[in-house]
Amino acid sequence: MSTLSTSPKTATTRDAAAARALPTRRRWFMLTLLLVATVINYVDRVNISIAAPFLSRDLGLDKVQMGLIFSAFAWTYAFALVPAGFIADRFGSRLVYGASLITWSAATVGQGMVSGFASLFGLRLAVGALEAPAFPANSRAVTVWFPARERGMASSIYVCGQYLGTALFTGGLLWLATHYSWRHVFYVTGSAGILFGLVWLWLYRDPSECKKVSPEELAYIEEGGALVKSAGERTRFDWRQLAELLSYRQVWAICLGKFASTSALYFFLTWFPTYLMEERQMSTIKVGIFAVLPFVGATVGILLAGAISDLLIRRGCSLSFARKLPLVVGSALGMSIVLVNFTDSNLLCIAILTCAFFAQGIASASWAAVSEVAPKELIGVTGGFTSLAANIGGIVTPTVIGFIVQSTGTFAYAFWFIGAVALMGTLSYSFLLGRLHRIELRPR
């Protein structure tokens, strides 16, 4: 008697058919909420860069002071991420994300009322600390709602919110700053966040607590590798578990890679409009148009990375290869940012920066890798720790660029700095990361 085996392609076809036949698709609704929350999250990070050329003149701030203000968010954000990850594991994505949204948005409104460096710097520190639970809660929500075969695309969809918001709203926020005042940029974005925080608390639920998810969909996501758990299942934190987590090279490789890609991201979130206005001498209207293009490129990059990664898994490639390929390719292509130093053409400059940010979007697929390696006991903590490493780039990059521009009068060396960091990320993902697999902690 012969033994029949199921090919990966046949299994994939069967899984796809099962997904289409499900009576509910509640996981995609929850992902939509994550996407909107991430858009607001990043609009409230980038609004300072849009207001910067106006508020720096109004408040009399120099380049070094603006560099410190740009980096202030990341100071508190980075170091609050690990405790924020534990809080997300302990109390669940619904409560933690809702509270985070409302409080950081209130601090955003407060930025419109500042009178000088100290008050603006302090409120940027507050926004950073209060936004810290967002991405650990995102990572946790995707891990509990999505099977492994869909997790790459799901992670890419919510991560693209960090580019989509800027692409959609830069023109409108520049219009507000120009026709009213830079203060209205903060009033409008902060108010929108408070309102959505209330919507999040009303609509989001974990799968085991969601009354609108069918038993079939719940079984589908759990059998596919989703770590379905309730917010009521409290995670007990043990420092020995954290020490064990940090003994794995996969964690450190992702940390170095995320630091590299986030360094490029923070240039675009902070100094980019100033670079276009002051070094490239573009008008406000041109900045409103051209500044959008790199963010569109990054959005395409992250969605393409997620789609290709999941496609490779469905075609029978190993999960490790499918998740690592976008990270290596994106990091390597990100080094192209240095080419902007060799052109005087504004159109070619924007084309190069769009390509570089497209690459950064591809490399941002690292969130899917985090979801694959995080031990089930420490999903949020793993997301928090890798985000901490990433956002050290948010501290370093805006500050370094501020000192470079202040001392040299040009952004040229800033692009060499970002290119060198991209090379470090490429080497980390290529040689240090190794095989991706879910970390199994020793029982306590």
Side-chain angles (χ1 to χ4, degrees):
M1 181 180 293
S2 63
T3 302
L4 298 177
S5 60
T6 304
S7 69
K9 187 173 182 179
T10 302
T12 297
T13 303
R14 186 180 63 242
D15 291 337
R20 288 193 297 270
L22 294 177
T24 62
R25 292 179 176 83
R26 197 65 180 171
R27 64 197 184 283
W28 297 106
F29 174 78
M30 297 304 175
L31 183 62
T32 301
L33 294 180
L34 289 178
L35 173 61
V36 175
T38 305
V39 167
I40 293 171
N41 182 292
Y42 267 81
V43 167
D44 286 347
R45 299 189 198 194
V46 79
N47 54 16
I48 187 71
S49 70
I50 294 170
F54 308 95
L55 73 83
S56 61
R57 289 195 298 267
D58 190 18
L59 302 179
L61 305 176
D62 63 25
K63 291 292 187 294
V64 172
Q65 287 176 310
M66 286 307 302
L68 291 171
I69 287 170
F70 284 151
S71 68
F73 169 93
W75 292 18
T76 48
Y77 181 77
F79 293 102
L81 279 164
V82 173
F86 167 67
I87 291 170
D89 283 335
R90 183 78 170 84
F91 298 103
S93 296
R94 176 178 175 265
L95 178 61
V96 172
Y97 214 151
S100 179
L101 261 163
I102 292 169
T103 53
W104 95 55
S105 298
T108 297
V109 172
Q111 289 174 82
M113 306 174 186
V114 300
S115 57
F117 173 81
S119 53
L120 182 56
F121 185 78
L123 281 167
R124 291 301 293 176
L125 291 173
V127 172
L130 295 168
E131 278 199 15
F135 267 70
N138 278 346
S139 182
R140 181 188 181 280
V142 166
T143 307
V144 301
W145 268 106
F146 284 86
R149 68 183 70 90
E150 297 175 352
R151 202 173 292 147
M153 192 60 191
S155 296
S156 292
I157 288 173
Y158 82 72
V159 171
C160 84
Q162 67 190 32
Y163 315 113
L164 196 59
T166 305
L168 291 174
F169 301 118
T170 292
L173 295 179
L174 275 170
W175 180 84
L176 272 177
T178 304
H179 289 81
Y180 291 91
S181 77
W182 57 267
R183 298 182 187 275
H184 284 79
V185 171
F186 297 108
Y187 296 154
V188 170
T189 54
S191 298
I194 292 171
L195 289 174
F196 187 75
L198 298 174
V199 172
W200 172 272
L201 289 170
W202 176 36
L203 295 177
Y204 180 84
R205 296 293 186 276
D206 277 349
S208 60
E209 298 170 344
C210 181
K211 296 180 180 179
K212 295 186 178 181
V213 62
S214 67
E216 293 86 353
E217 184 180 12
L218 196 62
Y220 169 77
I221 63 178
E222 189 165 12
E223 289 168 4
L227 301 180
V228 176
K229 60 190 288 187
S230 165
E233 294 179 46
R234 304 306 188 197
T235 299
R236 299 185 63 183
F237 183 73
D238 188 327
W239 283 104
R240 291 174 297 176
Q241 287 184 322
L242 179 59
E244 184 181 349
L245 176 70
L246 299 186
S247 69
Y248 286 87
R249 73 178 193 176
Q250 291 94 336
V251 174
W252 288 105
I254 292 173
C255 285
L256 289 173
K258 287 176 77 69
F259 171 87
S261 65
T262 303
S263 294
L265 172 64
Y266 268 89
F267 163 74
F268 287 96
L269 293 181
T270 56
W271 284 108
F272 183 43
T274 301
Y275 168 72
L276 296 183
M277 287 186 183
E278 297 186 0
E279 183 143 329
R280 290 286 171 172
Q281 296 296 303
M282 292 188 188
S283 66
T284 303
I285 294 175
K286 285 186 177 180
V287 171
I289 297 170
F290 288 144
V292 168
L293 296 178
F295 287 89
V296 173
T299 302
V300 173
I302 183 61
L303 292 176
L304 186 63
I308 291 175
S309 181
D310 283 354
L311 178 63
L312 289 172
I313 292 175
R314 291 195 295 270
R315 291 295 174 89
C317 293
S318 71
L319 182 145
S320 182
F321 175 80
R323 296 297 189 233
K324 284 176 62 176
L325 181 64
L327 308 185
V328 175
V329 171
S331 297
L333 187 58
M335 292 185 282
S336 65
I337 198 169
V338 301
L339 297 177
V340 80
N341 289 331
F342 300 96
T343 180
D344 294 324
S345 166
N346 285 342
L347 289 177
L348 188 53
C349 164
I350 293 299
I352 292 169
L353 292 176
T354 299
C355 178
F357 210 21
F358 167 79
Q360 197 279 335
I362 294 175
S364 292
S366 56
W367 274 108
V370 173
S371 293
E372 305 299 355
V373 304
K376 62 183 181 180
E377 303 92 342
L378 298 177
I379 300 171
V381 170
T382 306
F385 187 80
T386 55
S387 287
L388 185 158
N391 284 277
I392 291 175
I395 298 171
V396 172
T397 300
T399 306
V400 168
I401 292 176
F403 277 101
I404 287 173
V405 176
Q406 183 83 353
S407 59
T408 67
T410 177
F411 280 83
Y413 291 104
F415 291 116
W416 284 110
F417 167 75
I418 297 170
V421 174
L423 174 60
M424 179 191 72
T426 305
L427 296 174
S428 178
Y429 285 137
S430 299
F431 301 109
L432 181 61
L433 183 55
R435 185 180 67 86
L436 287 176
H437 60 90
R438 188 165 306 282
I439 295 171
E440 298 286 343
L441 298 179
R442 293 189 296 271
R444 300 296 178 185

